Amino acid sequence: MAKKLESLDKVTVKFAGDSGDGVQVMGDQFGNATAVVGNDFATLPDYPAEIRAPQGTTYGVSSYQIQFAAYDVYTPGDIPDVLVAFNPAALKVNLTSLKPGGTIIANEDEFTEQNLRKAGFSSNPLEDDSLGSFRVYRVPITRLTIESLKDEPVGHKDKERCRNFFALGMMCWLFSRPLEPSIEFLKKRFATKVQVMEANTKALKAGYNICDTMEIFPIHYQLPPAKLEPGKYRNVNGAFASACGLVVASHKSGLPLIYSGYPITPASETLEVLAALKQYGAVTIQSEDEISAITMAIGAAYSGAIGVTGTSGPGLALKTEALNLAVMTELPLIVFDFQRSGPSTGMPTKTEQTDLLFALFGRPAESPVIILSPSSPADCFWISIEAVRLATKYMTPVIVLSEQFLVHSSEPWKLPDLDKIPPIEVNFRTDPKGFYPYMRDEKTLARPWVKLGTPGLEHTLGGLEKSNIQGTISYEPENHDLMNKLRAQKIQKVAQDIPDAQIMGPADADVVVVGWGGTYGHIKAAIEMANQDGMKVAMVHLRYLNPLQKNLGDLLRRFKKVLVPELNLGQLSYVLRAKYLIDAIGYNRITGRPFYVSELLNFIKDEYKSLRMH
Amino acid sequence: MSVTEQEGQITYKWTDFKSDQDVRWCPGCEDYAILKAFQTALAELDIPREKHVVVSGIGCSSRLPYYMSTYGFHGIHGRPIPIATGVKVANPDLVVWVITGDGDCLSIGGNHLIHVMRRNVDIKILLFDNRIYGLTKGQYSPTSDKGMVNRTAPMGTVEEPVEPVALALASGATFVARTDAAYLKHLIHLIVEAHKHKGTAFLHIYQNCYVYNDGVFDDFTQRDVRDDRNLVLEHGKPLIFGKNRDKGLRFKDGMVEIAEFEPADPPEDITIFDETNLSLAFALSKLYWPRFPVPMGVIRRVEQPSFEELIYGQIEKAKQKFSTDLNKLIYSGDVWEVK
């Protein structure tokens, strides 16, 4: 029986369930299937902090949101059009952020009295009229899964566990996605557990077929492929892209890569990815604490390798003294700060951009470092390479301000031609003639880097102030003044070595929106909508936060209004005001989740209107 | 330079390991003795100077790298061990030394001592233990005797001291030795032995601070008493000590006792020292004057693969097992083409 097929151009879907429901796997596989049909997309996984929270509780809900479209998308979507709720708790926590008139697909088998009570429902929302404004589909997903697997030689529990693939099959039917990528995935994932692989595959197909034959949904949808740039693509999240960038930088520079990290959410993923890339020579050390993580990286840098450490806010706080040691010894060191909600332990699995001022100023004394920030999951790859290039060229620590959102969020990545990535040239000093450890390159002010083991260049570095050029311990007042200024100037020199800031959007706009980090997609989407609505709004997104690009001040002064949305209380605004005396107008929210495009659009609209009224 | 190179052979003198910096410890400090022993040992090792890296933390002893003509790194308080770990892992060809003190290694950096031991990183740790904070002018340290009166404990400390050798053993040390800074030859010998060991070597050196803790080891290190009050360990030999070699240790039923005998005729049940016996090493680590003689020498030595050896072993294995083509890295996962 042929079902009605309708075309859509953009959908946001959210899968939500218990953290043991396999929602993340389901989301990833739906993303892969979406990639294959050529839609553009972006994803946002959302984990609870609890690993296995008590079943059925609201704080145990894990979810995966994906926005996909027949055109470019920049964000995982604000609020879902379709919610797949595996239990009452998943419905409960997502009810407030669901589009009016949106679709709810609920696994009715889990809406038991006990589960309803755990989720805080006094009556079953599937049966009362509380969901009146939504289109609700009650599907006995668990029961149908088990029925479809009645002949499979796996236990009852294993059958139940296949319900995420059953639901995935349903969703693939609903949005006309192929099953093949998921079948391939199952073959690989359960290569040694053939029965489990077969059961999941069967559940996947059953979910698809049941929609085709039964009246579960009256309609299904297709989305034409987006017009993406030709090329080869893969889906990538920030953790993988950051790690890949480091490996590529290691090969492009010919330097060994030593990454030491102490487990901390959400930095651990990058350490984990790298730990599995040993075939590329990546050395990872799980250190005993945050301080040993950074000091091992400093030791590696002194030795002549790329020393990297990764952490999040609480860990960065512990690393500050060692960061200053790297500033003083002028060694290349890369510190990833995967920002998360703070202060203190805060909300470890949630995102925000609250460490910018800490990265800039959060160390005793004058302690300038380079600060970079990736704009999107795929950009994490490029920022890693840029961090290695600048750290080794300028002999300085680089802080990469990434974000929890970027670590987990994913998007299609047009795969680069690795041969076209320029080599990172590192010139180790080998000539003992005229060598001093703090002699400086005229252009960069960098001191020479010596691979330990090089004869004739033996020297001692350390945290004590050194005389410029000779590098001996110095308490000389004028020298200390000079060294402070040289360390600062060296970082400012980097501005000559990076591309100018670019305006995106209409050149004759009166309003510009300035952002940094993972808000790129949200701001871009809001800007496009604003311009479609007849406003003229431009955008500047910063990947270089220290030093700022040399044209930035002049560029921003061209606009009548400078809007700065940030997931903090105005940290970039503070910098722009201080540096350029610009009246930066902030939009500041710290909710633990990324911006909604709609709230940014409203902010832009309001500011745009008030500009017109003047 | 007085180095002579003949057919790949280098012959160093201890002075070849001196830097051009003035040594600025208090005149008469035993750190001078350790520095000279260290330079002498390095000359004896005959390894090209540029292969040595001397890493220190903060404290009086940690100034040492500036006085060496090798590569050196004067780190931050408590962290020489992880810095040295990074140096060694990044380039296992280097010979990496850690110079640290009782505050640096056992207090602020105590955590790293535990973990370097269980990892068995091939670095050599020289702990200068003077049982006092010298550089900050006389506060008690984690090895200060309980009851010791000093600037932060005017009525005496109320803390039990930590025993460095016992801590190292408990953390899985594969090489632990002890001596006193005044025993120059013994110290040189143990530095050379530490270098020979593949893995973490921990050398506990009693060092007198005559300004803030003078004479703290005199009771058992003064020339006239040391033979009676030290137990010099030799692998495979009975635990005999005394100027006249007329005393020995007997471990029985979990207890230890001193046996006295005619020098020529030691009883058969004097315990034979075995440097691979962990229980014995633990027992010895807790012996202290005046109840017992203080053990000196190599207390434990066992062979185990080193940290960096295992790391690079895994990398080699991965290289054999998986493709090393960089394109395979980014093309991993599902790749699709947009035409």
Side-chain angles (χ1 to χ4, degrees), chain A residues 32 35 231 233-234 278 280 288-289 302-303 454 459 461-462, chain B residues 50 71-72 74 87 111-112 119 314 325 330 332 334 336 338:
Chain A
N32 281 346
Y233 286 79
R234 66 166 287 164
K278 293 186 172 34
Y280 299 105
E288 59 269 30
D289 59 30
Y302 180 48
S303 209
T454 309
H459 61 279
L461 297 180
Chain B
E50 65 272 14
Y71 284 102
H74 180 214
V87 168
N111 193 26
H112 311 307
R119 289 189 182 114
Q314 286 191 342
D325 176 2
I330 63 167
S332 61
D334 292 296
W336 68 92
V338 174

PDB file of all heavy atoms in Angstrom, chain A residues 32 35 231 233-234 278 280 288-289 302-303 454 459 461-462, chain B residues 50 71-72 74 87 111-112 119 314 325 330 332 334 336 338:
ATOM      1  N   ASN A  32      24.177   9.344   9.808  1.00  0.00           N
ATOM      2  CA  ASN A  32      24.862   8.717   8.671  1.00  0.00           C
ATOM      3  C   ASN A  32      23.906   8.511   7.501  1.00  0.00           C
ATOM      4  O   ASN A  32      24.255   8.765   6.346  1.00  0.00           O
ATOM      5  CB  ASN A  32      25.455   7.366   9.078  1.00  0.00           C
ATOM      6  CG  ASN A  32      26.752   7.545   9.832  1.00  0.00           C
ATOM      7  OD1 ASN A  32      27.338   8.634   9.831  1.00  0.00           O
ATOM      8  ND2 ASN A  32      27.199   6.493  10.488  1.00  0.00           N
ATOM      9  N   ALA A  35      23.302  11.734   5.854  1.00  0.00           N
ATOM     10  CA  ALA A  35      24.427  12.139   5.010  1.00  0.00           C
ATOM     11  C   ALA A  35      24.323  11.476   3.646  1.00  0.00           C
ATOM     12  O   ALA A  35      24.546  12.108   2.611  1.00  0.00           O
ATOM     13  CB  ALA A  35      25.737  11.758   5.678  1.00  0.00           C
ATOM     14  N   GLY A 231      32.609  17.094  -3.488  1.00  0.00           N
ATOM     15  CA  GLY A 231      33.764  16.580  -2.756  1.00  0.00           C
ATOM     16  C   GLY A 231      33.356  15.400  -1.913  1.00  0.00           C
ATOM     17  O   GLY A 231      32.204  14.984  -1.910  1.00  0.00           O
ATOM     18  N   TYR A 233      32.846  13.723   1.753  1.00  0.00           N
ATOM     19  CA  TYR A 233      32.445  14.196   3.078  1.00  0.00           C
ATOM     20  C   TYR A 233      32.428  13.052   4.088  1.00  0.00           C
ATOM     21  O   TYR A 233      32.231  11.898   3.725  1.00  0.00           O
ATOM     22  CB  TYR A 233      31.032  14.785   3.035  1.00  0.00           C
ATOM     23  CG  TYR A 233      30.935  16.142   2.385  1.00  0.00           C
ATOM     24  CD1 TYR A 233      30.927  16.255   0.993  1.00  0.00           C
ATOM     25  CD2 TYR A 233      30.846  17.293   3.147  1.00  0.00           C
ATOM     26  CE1 TYR A 233      30.839  17.500   0.390  1.00  0.00           C
ATOM     27  CE2 TYR A 233      30.745  18.534   2.551  1.00  0.00           C
ATOM     28  CZ  TYR A 233      30.740  18.638   1.169  1.00  0.00           C
ATOM     29  OH  TYR A 233      30.652  19.861   0.582  1.00  0.00           O
ATOM     30  N   ARG A 234      32.588  13.420   5.330  1.00  0.00           N
ATOM     31  CA  ARG A 234      32.283  12.505   6.426  1.00  0.00           C
ATOM     32  C   ARG A 234      31.652  13.320   7.541  1.00  0.00           C
ATOM     33  O   ARG A 234      31.771  14.546   7.578  1.00  0.00           O
ATOM     34  CB  ARG A 234      33.527  11.797   6.942  1.00  0.00           C
ATOM     35  CG  ARG A 234      34.523  12.754   7.604  1.00  0.00           C
ATOM     36  CD  ARG A 234      35.561  12.018   8.391  1.00  0.00           C
ATOM     37  NE  ARG A 234      34.960  11.495   9.620  1.00  0.00           N
ATOM     38  CZ  ARG A 234      35.528  10.571  10.357  1.00  0.00           C
ATOM     39  NH1 ARG A 234      36.673  10.048  10.013  1.00  0.00           N
ATOM     40  NH2 ARG A 234      34.946  10.158  11.475  1.00  0.00           N
ATOM     41  N   LYS A 278      47.620   5.285  17.734  1.00  0.00           N
ATOM     42  CA  LYS A 278      49.036   4.997  17.950  1.00  0.00           C
ATOM     43  C   LYS A 278      49.781   4.705  16.654  1.00  0.00           C
ATOM     44  O   LYS A 278      50.974   4.946  16.546  1.00  0.00           O
ATOM     45  CB  LYS A 278      49.188   3.824  18.910  1.00  0.00           C
ATOM     46  CG  LYS A 278      48.734   4.134  20.314  1.00  0.00           C
ATOM     47  CD  LYS A 278      49.059   2.982  21.244  1.00  0.00           C
ATOM     48  CE  LYS A 278      48.818   3.276  22.712  1.00  0.00           C
ATOM     49  NZ  LYS A 278      47.727   4.136  23.065  1.00  0.00           N
ATOM     50  N   TYR A 280      49.835   6.241  14.112  1.00  0.00           N
ATOM     51  CA  TYR A 280      50.395   7.478  13.555  1.00  0.00           C
ATOM     52  C   TYR A 280      51.480   8.060  14.455  1.00  0.00           C
ATOM     53  O   TYR A 280      51.915   9.188  14.281  1.00  0.00           O
ATOM     54  CB  TYR A 280      49.284   8.498  13.317  1.00  0.00           C
ATOM     55  CG  TYR A 280      48.251   7.994  12.343  1.00  0.00           C
ATOM     56  CD1 TYR A 280      47.003   7.565  12.767  1.00  0.00           C
ATOM     57  CD2 TYR A 280      48.557   7.887  10.982  1.00  0.00           C
ATOM     58  CE1 TYR A 280      46.074   7.049  11.871  1.00  0.00           C
ATOM     59  CE2 TYR A 280      47.643   7.378  10.084  1.00  0.00           C
ATOM     60  CZ  TYR A 280      46.397   6.963  10.540  1.00  0.00           C
ATOM     61  OH  TYR A 280      45.497   6.455   9.652  1.00  0.00           O
ATOM     62  N   GLU A 288      48.631  11.526  36.320  1.00  0.00           N
ATOM     63  CA  GLU A 288      48.026  11.329  37.638  1.00  0.00           C
ATOM     64  C   GLU A 288      47.218  12.537  38.098  1.00  0.00           C
ATOM     65  O   GLU A 288      46.408  12.426  39.011  1.00  0.00           O
ATOM     66  CB  GLU A 288      49.096  10.988  38.686  1.00  0.00           C
ATOM     67  CG  GLU A 288      50.190  12.038  38.881  1.00  0.00           C
ATOM     68  CD  GLU A 288      51.382  11.792  37.964  1.00  0.00           C
ATOM     69  OE1 GLU A 288      51.173  11.246  36.865  1.00  0.00           O
ATOM     70  OE2 GLU A 288      52.509  12.154  38.341  1.00  0.00           O
ATOM     71  N   ASP A 289      47.451  13.679  37.499  1.00  0.00           N
ATOM     72  CA  ASP A 289      46.656  14.860  37.838  1.00  0.00           C
ATOM     73  C   ASP A 289      46.840  15.912  36.750  1.00  0.00           C
ATOM     74  O   ASP A 289      47.588  15.707  35.797  1.00  0.00           O
ATOM     75  CB  ASP A 289      46.996  15.406  39.242  1.00  0.00           C
ATOM     76  CG  ASP A 289      48.456  15.796  39.395  1.00  0.00           C
ATOM     77  OD1 ASP A 289      49.081  16.189  38.393  1.00  0.00           O
ATOM     78  OD2 ASP A 289      48.980  15.707  40.526  1.00  0.00           O
ATOM     79  N   TYR A 302      60.255  20.771  25.806  1.00  0.00           N
ATOM     80  CA  TYR A 302      61.679  21.063  26.024  1.00  0.00           C
ATOM     81  C   TYR A 302      62.542  20.046  25.276  1.00  0.00           C
ATOM     82  O   TYR A 302      63.563  20.365  24.692  1.00  0.00           O
ATOM     83  CB  TYR A 302      61.977  21.038  27.527  1.00  0.00           C
ATOM     84  CG  TYR A 302      63.420  21.318  27.884  1.00  0.00           C
ATOM     85  CD1 TYR A 302      64.095  22.398  27.317  1.00  0.00           C
ATOM     86  CD2 TYR A 302      64.121  20.512  28.778  1.00  0.00           C
ATOM     87  CE1 TYR A 302      65.424  22.667  27.632  1.00  0.00           C
ATOM     88  CE2 TYR A 302      65.443  20.770  29.101  1.00  0.00           C
ATOM     89  CZ  TYR A 302      66.092  21.853  28.518  1.00  0.00           C
ATOM     90  OH  TYR A 302      67.406  22.106  28.830  1.00  0.00           O
ATOM     91  N   SER A 303      62.072  18.814  25.258  1.00  0.00           N
ATOM     92  CA  SER A 303      62.790  17.726  24.591  1.00  0.00           C
ATOM     93  C   SER A 303      62.847  17.945  23.087  1.00  0.00           C
ATOM     94  O   SER A 303      63.767  17.489  22.425  1.00  0.00           O
ATOM     95  CB  SER A 303      62.079  16.405  24.908  1.00  0.00           C
ATOM     96  OG  SER A 303      62.988  15.347  24.900  1.00  0.00           O
ATOM     97  N   THR A 454      71.437  17.629  21.228  1.00  0.00           N
ATOM     98  CA  THR A 454      72.277  18.304  20.242  1.00  0.00           C
ATOM     99  C   THR A 454      73.586  18.744  20.911  1.00  0.00           C
ATOM    100  O   THR A 454      73.554  19.460  21.907  1.00  0.00           O
ATOM    101  CB  THR A 454      71.560  19.551  19.680  1.00  0.00           C
ATOM    102  OG1 THR A 454      70.260  19.161  19.244  1.00  0.00           O
ATOM    103  CG2 THR A 454      72.336  20.159  18.531  1.00  0.00           C
ATOM    104  N   HIS A 459      72.131  23.884  27.655  1.00  0.00           N
ATOM    105  CA  HIS A 459      71.728  25.069  28.398  1.00  0.00           C
ATOM    106  C   HIS A 459      70.656  24.666  29.410  1.00  0.00           C
ATOM    107  O   HIS A 459      70.082  23.587  29.304  1.00  0.00           O
ATOM    108  CB  HIS A 459      71.183  26.152  27.462  1.00  0.00           C
ATOM    109  CG  HIS A 459      69.961  25.718  26.693  1.00  0.00           C
ATOM    110  ND1 HIS A 459      70.044  24.946  25.551  1.00  0.00           N
ATOM    111  CD2 HIS A 459      68.654  25.938  26.903  1.00  0.00           C
ATOM    112  CE1 HIS A 459      68.818  24.723  25.094  1.00  0.00           C
ATOM    113  NE2 HIS A 459      67.950  25.304  25.892  1.00  0.00           N
ATOM    114  N   LEU A 461      67.087  25.839  31.243  1.00  0.00           N
ATOM    115  CA  LEU A 461      65.930  26.739  31.282  1.00  0.00           C
ATOM    116  C   LEU A 461      65.283  26.630  32.655  1.00  0.00           C
ATOM    117  O   LEU A 461      65.550  25.682  33.393  1.00  0.00           O
ATOM    118  CB  LEU A 461      64.898  26.332  30.225  1.00  0.00           C
ATOM    119  CG  LEU A 461      65.301  26.396  28.764  1.00  0.00           C
ATOM    120  CD1 LEU A 461      64.131  25.944  27.897  1.00  0.00           C
ATOM    121  CD2 LEU A 461      65.744  27.798  28.364  1.00  0.00           C
ATOM    122  N   GLY A 462      64.412  27.574  32.956  1.00  0.00           N
ATOM    123  CA  GLY A 462      63.725  27.482  34.236  1.00  0.00           C
ATOM    124  C   GLY A 462      62.810  28.658  34.468  1.00  0.00           C
ATOM    125  O   GLY A 462      62.712  29.563  33.634  1.00  0.00           O
TER     126      GLY A 462
ATOM    127  N   GLU B  50      75.860  15.921  26.013  1.00  0.00           N
ATOM    128  CA  GLU B  50      74.585  16.464  25.508  1.00  0.00           C
ATOM    129  C   GLU B  50      73.418  15.485  25.663  1.00  0.00           C
ATOM    130  O   GLU B  50      72.266  15.850  25.438  1.00  0.00           O
ATOM    131  CB  GLU B  50      74.726  16.874  24.037  1.00  0.00           C
ATOM    132  CG  GLU B  50      75.005  15.736  23.067  1.00  0.00           C
ATOM    133  CD  GLU B  50      76.490  15.428  22.894  1.00  0.00           C
ATOM    134  OE1 GLU B  50      77.302  15.924  23.724  1.00  0.00           O
ATOM    135  OE2 GLU B  50      76.848  14.699  21.955  1.00  0.00           O
ATOM    136  N   TYR B  71      72.327  19.625  29.559  1.00  0.00           N
ATOM    137  CA  TYR B  71      71.016  20.247  29.447  1.00  0.00           C
ATOM    138  C   TYR B  71      70.361  20.220  30.821  1.00  0.00           C
ATOM    139  O   TYR B  71      70.562  19.255  31.584  1.00  0.00           O
ATOM    140  CB  TYR B  71      70.138  19.498  28.430  1.00  0.00           C
ATOM    141  CG  TYR B  71      70.529  19.818  27.000  1.00  0.00           C
ATOM    142  CD1 TYR B  71      71.294  18.936  26.249  1.00  0.00           C
ATOM    143  CD2 TYR B  71      70.141  21.031  26.429  1.00  0.00           C
ATOM    144  CE1 TYR B  71      71.661  19.250  24.943  1.00  0.00           C
ATOM    145  CE2 TYR B  71      70.501  21.343  25.132  1.00  0.00           C
ATOM    146  CZ  TYR B  71      71.267  20.458  24.386  1.00  0.00           C
ATOM    147  OH  TYR B  71      71.626  20.790  23.120  1.00  0.00           O
ATOM    148  N   GLY B  72      69.601  21.263  31.124  1.00  0.00           N
ATOM    149  CA  GLY B  72      68.992  21.324  32.446  1.00  0.00           C
ATOM    150  C   GLY B  72      67.665  22.043  32.417  1.00  0.00           C
ATOM    151  O   GLY B  72      67.368  22.823  31.511  1.00  0.00           O
ATOM    152  N   HIS B  74      65.081  23.856  35.340  1.00  0.00           N
ATOM    153  CA  HIS B  74      64.722  24.224  36.706  1.00  0.00           C
ATOM    154  C   HIS B  74      63.225  24.512  36.700  1.00  0.00           C
ATOM    155  O   HIS B  74      62.784  25.543  36.225  1.00  0.00           O
ATOM    156  CB  HIS B  74      65.540  25.473  37.081  1.00  0.00           C
ATOM    157  CG  HIS B  74      65.300  25.979  38.455  1.00  0.00           C
ATOM    158  ND1 HIS B  74      65.329  27.318  38.755  1.00  0.00           N
ATOM    159  CD2 HIS B  74      65.055  25.347  39.627  1.00  0.00           C
ATOM    160  CE1 HIS B  74      65.105  27.490  40.057  1.00  0.00           C
ATOM    161  NE2 HIS B  74      64.937  26.308  40.610  1.00  0.00           N
ATOM    162  N   VAL B  87      60.165  14.734  29.180  1.00  0.00           N
ATOM    163  CA  VAL B  87      61.437  14.775  28.443  1.00  0.00           C
ATOM    164  C   VAL B  87      61.804  13.375  27.965  1.00  0.00           C
ATOM    165  O   VAL B  87      62.144  13.171  26.798  1.00  0.00           O
ATOM    166  CB  VAL B  87      62.568  15.344  29.345  1.00  0.00           C
ATOM    167  CG1 VAL B  87      63.926  15.131  28.702  1.00  0.00           C
ATOM    168  CG2 VAL B  87      62.339  16.830  29.635  1.00  0.00           C
ATOM    169  N   ASN B 111      52.509  13.289  45.088  1.00  0.00           N
ATOM    170  CA  ASN B 111      51.685  12.467  44.198  1.00  0.00           C
ATOM    171  C   ASN B 111      52.503  11.891  43.040  1.00  0.00           C
ATOM    172  O   ASN B 111      52.344  10.737  42.656  1.00  0.00           O
ATOM    173  CB  ASN B 111      50.542  13.337  43.656  1.00  0.00           C
ATOM    174  CG  ASN B 111      49.468  12.535  42.977  1.00  0.00           C
ATOM    175  OD1 ASN B 111      49.286  11.354  43.281  1.00  0.00           O
ATOM    176  ND2 ASN B 111      48.759  13.140  42.053  1.00  0.00           N
ATOM    177  N   HIS B 112      53.388  12.733  42.492  1.00  0.00           N
ATOM    178  CA  HIS B 112      54.131  12.298  41.304  1.00  0.00           C
ATOM    179  C   HIS B 112      55.106  11.163  41.627  1.00  0.00           C
ATOM    180  O   HIS B 112      55.388  10.321  40.791  1.00  0.00           O
ATOM    181  CB  HIS B 112      54.882  13.474  40.680  1.00  0.00           C
ATOM    182  CG  HIS B 112      54.009  14.678  40.485  1.00  0.00           C
ATOM    183  ND1 HIS B 112      52.811  14.603  39.804  1.00  0.00           N
ATOM    184  CD2 HIS B 112      54.131  15.970  40.893  1.00  0.00           C
ATOM    185  CE1 HIS B 112      52.245  15.811  39.808  1.00  0.00           C
ATOM    186  NE2 HIS B 112      53.021  16.645  40.461  1.00  0.00           N
ATOM    187  N   ARG B 119      54.881   3.531  37.287  1.00  0.00           N
ATOM    188  CA  ARG B 119      55.058   3.515  35.826  1.00  0.00           C
ATOM    189  C   ARG B 119      56.425   2.968  35.433  1.00  0.00           C
ATOM    190  O   ARG B 119      56.603   2.483  34.333  1.00  0.00           O
ATOM    191  CB  ARG B 119      54.947   4.939  35.271  1.00  0.00           C
ATOM    192  CG  ARG B 119      53.550   5.504  35.305  1.00  0.00           C
ATOM    193  CD  ARG B 119      53.470   6.832  34.551  1.00  0.00           C
ATOM    194  NE  ARG B 119      52.133   7.364  34.652  1.00  0.00           N
ATOM    195  CZ  ARG B 119      51.807   8.484  35.300  1.00  0.00           C
ATOM    196  NH1 ARG B 119      52.740   9.228  35.862  1.00  0.00           N
ATOM    197  NH2 ARG B 119      50.554   8.862  35.366  1.00  0.00           N
ATOM    198  N   GLN B 314      53.823  -0.440  22.073  1.00  0.00           N
ATOM    199  CA  GLN B 314      52.431  -0.414  21.591  1.00  0.00           C
ATOM    200  C   GLN B 314      52.331   0.332  20.268  1.00  0.00           C
ATOM    201  O   GLN B 314      51.577  -0.070  19.372  1.00  0.00           O
ATOM    202  CB  GLN B 314      51.529   0.266  22.626  1.00  0.00           C
ATOM    203  CG  GLN B 314      51.254  -0.599  23.843  1.00  0.00           C
ATOM    204  CD  GLN B 314      50.152  -0.013  24.722  1.00  0.00           C
ATOM    205  OE1 GLN B 314      49.822   1.164  24.612  1.00  0.00           O
ATOM    206  NE2 GLN B 314      49.598  -0.833  25.592  1.00  0.00           N
ATOM    207  N   ASP B 325      48.671   5.319   6.783  1.00  0.00           N
ATOM    208  CA  ASP B 325      48.353   6.322   5.776  1.00  0.00           C
ATOM    209  C   ASP B 325      47.440   7.383   6.400  1.00  0.00           C
ATOM    210  O   ASP B 325      46.360   7.072   6.882  1.00  0.00           O
ATOM    211  CB  ASP B 325      47.656   5.606   4.603  1.00  0.00           C
ATOM    212  CG  ASP B 325      47.202   6.578   3.528  1.00  0.00           C
ATOM    213  OD1 ASP B 325      47.459   7.792   3.673  1.00  0.00           O
ATOM    214  OD2 ASP B 325      46.580   6.114   2.552  1.00  0.00           O
ATOM    215  N   ILE B 330      41.584  10.401   8.139  1.00  0.00           N
ATOM    216  CA  ILE B 330      40.422  11.284   7.982  1.00  0.00           C
ATOM    217  C   ILE B 330      39.306  10.607   7.198  1.00  0.00           C
ATOM    218  O   ILE B 330      38.151  10.973   7.311  1.00  0.00           O
ATOM    219  CB  ILE B 330      40.796  12.663   7.400  1.00  0.00           C
ATOM    220  CG1 ILE B 330      41.363  12.537   5.996  1.00  0.00           C
ATOM    221  CG2 ILE B 330      41.772  13.407   8.300  1.00  0.00           C
ATOM    222  CD1 ILE B 330      41.440  13.884   5.309  1.00  0.00           C
ATOM    223  N   SER B 332      38.373   7.658   7.738  1.00  0.00           N
ATOM    224  CA  SER B 332      37.769   6.600   8.549  1.00  0.00           C
ATOM    225  C   SER B 332      36.300   6.962   8.761  1.00  0.00           C
ATOM    226  O   SER B 332      35.922   8.116   8.642  1.00  0.00           O
ATOM    227  CB  SER B 332      38.502   6.510   9.892  1.00  0.00           C
ATOM    228  OG  SER B 332      38.393   7.720  10.591  1.00  0.00           O
ATOM    229  N   ASP B 334      32.125   6.684   7.838  1.00  0.00           N
ATOM    230  CA  ASP B 334      31.386   6.670   6.582  1.00  0.00           C
ATOM    231  C   ASP B 334      31.708   7.905   5.759  1.00  0.00           C
ATOM    232  O   ASP B 334      31.558   9.025   6.227  1.00  0.00           O
ATOM    233  CB  ASP B 334      29.882   6.612   6.870  1.00  0.00           C
ATOM    234  CG  ASP B 334      29.497   5.281   7.491  1.00  0.00           C
ATOM    235  OD1 ASP B 334      29.659   4.262   6.816  1.00  0.00           O
ATOM    236  OD2 ASP B 334      29.078   5.273   8.670  1.00  0.00           O
ATOM    237  N   TRP B 336      30.989   9.913   2.115  1.00  0.00           N
ATOM    238  CA  TRP B 336      30.117   9.969   0.949  1.00  0.00           C
ATOM    239  C   TRP B 336      30.572  11.079   0.026  1.00  0.00           C
ATOM    240  O   TRP B 336      31.306  11.973   0.440  1.00  0.00           O
ATOM    241  CB  TRP B 336      28.667  10.148   1.368  1.00  0.00           C
ATOM    242  CG  TRP B 336      28.340  11.479   1.983  1.00  0.00           C
ATOM    243  CD1 TRP B 336      27.890  12.592   1.357  1.00  0.00           C
ATOM    244  CD2 TRP B 336      28.448  11.841   3.369  1.00  0.00           C
ATOM    245  NE1 TRP B 336      27.701  13.620   2.243  1.00  0.00           N
ATOM    246  CE2 TRP B 336      28.030  13.192   3.499  1.00  0.00           C
ATOM    247  CE3 TRP B 336      28.852  11.147   4.519  1.00  0.00           C
ATOM    248  CZ2 TRP B 336      28.011  13.864   4.708  1.00  0.00           C
ATOM    249  CZ3 TRP B 336      28.831  11.829   5.728  1.00  0.00           C
ATOM    250  CH2 TRP B 336      28.412  13.160   5.822  1.00  0.00           C
ATOM    251  N   VAL B 338      29.701  14.109  -2.736  1.00  0.00           N
ATOM    252  CA  VAL B 338      28.738  15.035  -3.327  1.00  0.00           C
ATOM    253  C   VAL B 338      29.294  15.420  -4.693  1.00  0.00           C
ATOM    254  O   VAL B 338      30.447  15.843  -4.782  1.00  0.00           O
ATOM    255  CB  VAL B 338      28.544  16.285  -2.447  1.00  0.00           C
ATOM    256  CG1 VAL B 338      27.662  17.303  -3.161  1.00  0.00           C
ATOM    257  CG2 VAL B 338      27.947  15.902  -1.105  1.00  0.00           C
TER     258      VAL B 338
END
